[in-house]
Amino acid sequence: MKNNTKNKMTINLTPENPLSPIGFGLLVELESDVITKCTPQLGFNHKSLEKATQNRLFSQYIPMSEKIDYLSGFFCAQAYLSALEQLSDVELPKKAQYIRVLTMELNRISSHLRWLAAYLAGFGVLAPANLAYKLRGKILNIFENITGGRMSHNYYVFGGVRSDISKENLIEISNFKSDFNKELNTLENLISKNPVIIDSSMDIGVLSTQYALEYSITGVNLRASGLNLDFRKEKPYLVYNELKFHTPTAFEGDSYSRYLLRMEEMKISADLVKQCADWLLANQGEIFNLNINPLDVKPKAGRAVSYTESARGLIMCHLVTDGSEKPKRLKWRTPSFYAIQALEKLAPGHVLEDLTTVINSLDIIISEADR
């Protein structure tokens, strides 16, 4: 910490500081207790997950892609495989597409619940945070029944998914919506009108539509700023164009709006999960995998870009191949990288104690920002 004048100082919030999420730092300039400048600092958590592709077979990188965002691994695996399947002219079986959408929407809910618990803990509202963790645990149990893993799955494969979902599990998933909505409504009743939450998040961290576009913000953070852009509808992939859903929008652009939209998104995702489970129950005999030998994956030379709407926003995977059994180049576009940069606009004007609220409201995962 460096004193500049009597009322001005510069604070370096390193990743170990309680005010800064683990993995990145902030250089904050204060005048009294009001933030005048905020500069994010990345580079503490770099894992070379893009360079690593060049030393591995295409199939060997699939489980690594899930580490881009450890809370939403299905989305990253889908983004990578979508680009690879484009270059290989592979059309997924319809059943595999429905299974991927089902698991991704469950993953969206579990990610939002993990965000909600951390967001509430930042206010010291621990009872609802524990309920959010408990509800998330039920989704992780479903993942464990389907894939054998609770957070790391390696379930998607080139040309489909690794295994089918049993009828018993599908019935459980189909019934998930009604129980989930009841418990989520209980959570909302505890949170949405809580004066601590309202006073600490309303009109805090306001992100205008203009600045959201300038910083390439996507997902809930963009839709909370008034622009209804969802790549499940803008550039439909898998079977999203066959499913009925809407994308909610808010116009205030503050931390409270981002909270409200994530709560609404969880209900929409639960409905999508039910639609997929009902279709899968009615089409039990369909194939779920093209049974392509992973050692035979050798796409044509070229490049492909995939678009996937993850829990945090748009994930793009830019894959370049040269006709060999290994990628020539791979580049990820992940939403948290841009959300972190937006802090230089969102933080100034707020007191230091509001900084945690602003950061938490953006739902930043450092592993996909500093990869």
Side-chain angles (χ1 to χ4, degrees), residues 161-172:
V161 294
R162 190 170 300 281
S163 59
D164 200 356
I165 303 178
S166 69
K167 185 176 181 180
E168 292 75 17
N169 284 336
L170 285 174
I171 293 173
E172 178 188 356

Side-chain angles (χ1 to χ4, degrees), residues 105 108 223 228-230 232-233 240 243-249 261 264-269 271-272 275:
E105 293 305 321
R108 192 184 308 276
R223 292 191 286 275
N228 192 346
L229 179 63
D230 188 322
R232 293 174 293 178
K233 287 186 173 291
Y240 277 110
L243 301 172
K244 296 179 180 179
F245 68 102
H246 71 282
T247 51
T249 309
L261 283 194
E264 184 65 23
E265 265 206 358
M266 284 191 275
K267 298 176 184 176
I268 294 168
S269 292
D271 184 63
L272 287 171
Q275 291 182 53

Side-chain angles (χ1 to χ4, degrees), residues 119-312:
Y119 185 64
L120 295 173
F123 299 117
V125 183
L126 299 182
N130 291 333
L131 287 176
Y133 274 124
K134 181 180 178 181
L135 189 52
R136 177 174 179 261
K138 295 181 179 180
I139 298 176
L140 298 186
N141 290 339
I142 294 175
F143 286 155
E144 189 172 13
N145 291 335
I146 296 174
T147 71
R150 295 174 69 81
M151 290 184 65
S152 295
H153 310 288
N154 193 21
Y155 181 59
Y156 296 174
V157 296
F158 182 75
V161 294
R162 190 170 300 281
S163 59
D164 200 356
I165 303 178
S166 69
K167 185 176 181 180
E168 292 75 17
N169 284 336
L170 285 174
I171 293 173
E172 178 188 356
I173 295 169
S174 182
N175 296 330
F176 168 79
K177 176 185 172 182
S178 59
D179 293 337
F180 172 77
N181 284 342
K182 290 178 184 177
E183 297 192 51
L184 192 64
N185 287 334
T186 301
L187 266 175
E188 279 189 301
N189 292 334
L190 292 171
I191 301 168
S192 297
K193 295 184 180 180
N194 187 319
V196 173
I197 304 295
I198 294 174
D199 293 343
S200 301
S201 61
M202 195 171 286
D203 297 326
I204 299 296
V206 176
L207 180 65
S208 68
T209 306
Q210 176 188 347
Y211 285 136
L213 291 173
E214 286 181 5
Y215 282 90
S216 299
I217 302 299
T218 55
V220 172
N221 296 330
L222 176 61
R223 292 191 286 275
S225 297
L227 186 58
N228 192 346
L229 179 63
D230 188 322
F231 283 85
R232 293 174 293 178
K233 287 186 173 291
E234 186 72 17
K235 289 182 177 292
Y237 52 95
L238 298 177
V239 291
Y240 277 110
N241 58 343
E242 299 180 13
L243 301 172
K244 296 179 180 179
F245 68 102
H246 71 282
T247 51
T249 309
F251 298 91
E252 293 79 7
D254 59 3
S255 299
Y256 190 70
S257 296
R258 292 190 277 273
Y259 150 74
L260 289 177
L261 283 194
R262 288 191 178 93
M263 297 297 283
E264 184 65 23
E265 265 206 358
M266 284 191 275
K267 298 176 184 176
I268 294 168
S269 292
D271 184 63
L272 287 171
V273 167
K274 179 168 176 54
Q275 291 182 53
C276 291
D278 290 345
W279 187 94
L280 290 168
L281 282 169
N283 295 270
Q284 286 281 288
E286 300 285 333
I287 63 170
F288 59 89
N289 193 331
L290 295 178
N291 290 320
I292 300 172
N293 188 329
L295 299 179
D296 294 335
V297 179
K298 191 181 292 186
K300 62 186 178 183
R303 61 182 63 208
V305 179
S306 63
Y307 298 81
T308 305
E309 183 77 21
S310 78
R312 268 157 284 283

Side-chain angles (χ1 to χ4, degrees), residues 20-26 38-43 215-217 221 334-347 355 358-359 362-371:
S20 177
I22 295 174
F24 76 96
L26 293 167
C38 180
T39 306
Q41 298 174 320
L42 288 171
Y215 282 90
S216 299
I217 302 299
N221 296 330
T334 54
S336 290
F337 179 77
Y338 301 91
I340 289 175
Q341 296 180 71
L343 288 172
E344 66 181 16
K345 283 290 184 184
L346 293 180
L355 183 58
V358 175
I359 295 172
L362 294 173
D363 193 11
I364 293 169
I365 295 297
I366 192 60
S367 67
E368 51 123 309
D370 194 6
R371 54 197 176 278

Side-chain angles (χ1 to χ4, degrees), residues 92-121:
L92 286 179
K94 182 63 70 71
K95 186 171 187 177
Q97 295 185 47
Y98 269 98
I99 291 176
R100 285 192 185 182
V101 171
L102 182 147
T103 49
M104 282 194 294
E105 293 305 321
L106 281 172
N107 204 175
R108 192 184 308 276
I109 297 171
S110 69
S111 178
H112 283 346
L113 287 171
R114 168 61 178 79
W115 165 83
L116 179 62
Y119 185 64
L120 295 173

